[in-house]
Amino acid sequence: MSNNSSCFWVAEVYEKSSLNYSQQDQEYILMTEEEFNYSDIDISSYIKKIVGTIALCKNNRIPNGAWIKRLYVHKDYRKKSIGSFLLNVALEFSIMQGYNRVNIVISEYRKDAKKLCIRKGFELYLCYKKPVFRSLITMLVYELTYQINYYINENFMAIDPYYAYYILNS
């Protein structure tokens, strides 16, 4: 990426070249590139496919905020926790970069993506109609936001309020 405050990730799948479509309903092991590099998995008989993407960049509209863009998982690989894993990676990166808020824009036609983001803790920030075809057709668009709360003490910084409460009161 052009700077350290932005990043782009891809989700890759390694599958046996002999799999046919009906056999692809299998369980996948999700791991980061670093975890994969340290594993002893022999991929010599596998085919690599890119099945998902996500990007995170600075939000110039909201101070200390970020945008999630390009969240996509191939239709044959949805409902396998790949989107959830990609969101986790982007949110962890945003925390490491010190962002306080992460927003994402999702159209009314991406209901599963909206549900996933809400399960992850995103909340509705804005809802508006966007002109699509010469203003004759409009599409409902949701902007969701994920608020990152920091609990800071002299000795620690926590993101989870329950963890902060536990540490402060023990």
Side-chain angles (χ1 to χ4, degrees):
M1 298 296 289
S2 60
N3 58 47
N4 292 339
S5 61
S6 302
C7 205
F8 182 80
W9 297 269
V10 295
E12 300 172 332
V13 169
Y14 290 88
E15 293 181 329
K16 291 268 189 194
S17 56
S18 61
L19 284 181
N20 62 38
Y21 186 76
S22 64
Q23 292 173 309
Q24 288 186 359
D25 190 26
Q26 60 183 342
E27 192 172 315
Y28 293 93
I29 299 170
L30 302 173
M31 60 181 74
T32 64
E33 184 176 10
E34 291 80 21
E35 292 169 333
F36 178 75
N37 289 337
Y38 286 113
S39 71
D40 290 335
I41 300 172
D42 178 19
I43 57 168
S44 59
S45 62
Y46 290 79
I47 296 174
K48 177 170 70 171
K49 298 179 188 178
I50 294 177
V51 298
T53 61
I54 194 167
L56 187 122
C57 61
K58 184 175 181 165
N59 183 338
N60 292 323
R61 191 183 76 200
I62 298 173
N64 213 17
W67 284 110
I68 287 182
K69 297 185 174 206
R70 309 288 184 251
L71 174 58
Y72 176 78
V73 176
H74 187 279
K75 63 182 174 92
D76 294 341
Y77 296 89
R78 292 178 186 159
K79 307 281 188 200
K80 298 181 186 303
S81 299
I82 295 169
S84 179
F85 193 82
L86 287 169
L87 264 177
N88 286 344
V89 168
L91 290 173
E92 285 177 23
F93 179 82
S94 66
I95 291 165
M96 289 188 312
Q97 295 303 313
Y99 290 118
N100 291 332
R101 176 181 291 187
V102 179
N103 287 22
I104 186 170
V105 174
I106 301 174
S107 79
E108 65 182 307
Y109 302 106
R110 299 190 59 211
K111 293 177 183 166
D112 288 340
K114 181 182 169 199
K115 286 179 190 175
L116 170 64
C117 289
I118 289 171
R119 275 196 319 268
K120 288 288 179 190
F122 283 79
E123 296 176 348
L124 184 62
Y125 182 70
L126 284 174
C127 185
Y128 54 92
K129 290 187 178 184
K130 180 178 179 181
V132 178
F133 183 72
R134 297 184 187 163
S135 300
L136 298 173
I137 300 172
T138 60
M139 171 176 54
L140 190 59
V141 175
Y142 303 97
E143 184 174 335
L144 305 174
T145 189
Y146 182 88
Q147 184 70 43
I148 300 169
N149 296 315
Y150 295 94
Y151 302 89
I152 300 173
N153 188 327
E154 295 172 0
N155 303 319
F156 81 101
M157 179 181 81
I159 296 160
D160 182 354
Y162 299 108
Y163 178 72
Y165 179 81
Y166 174 76
I167 294 295
L168 293 171
N169 294 301
S170 44

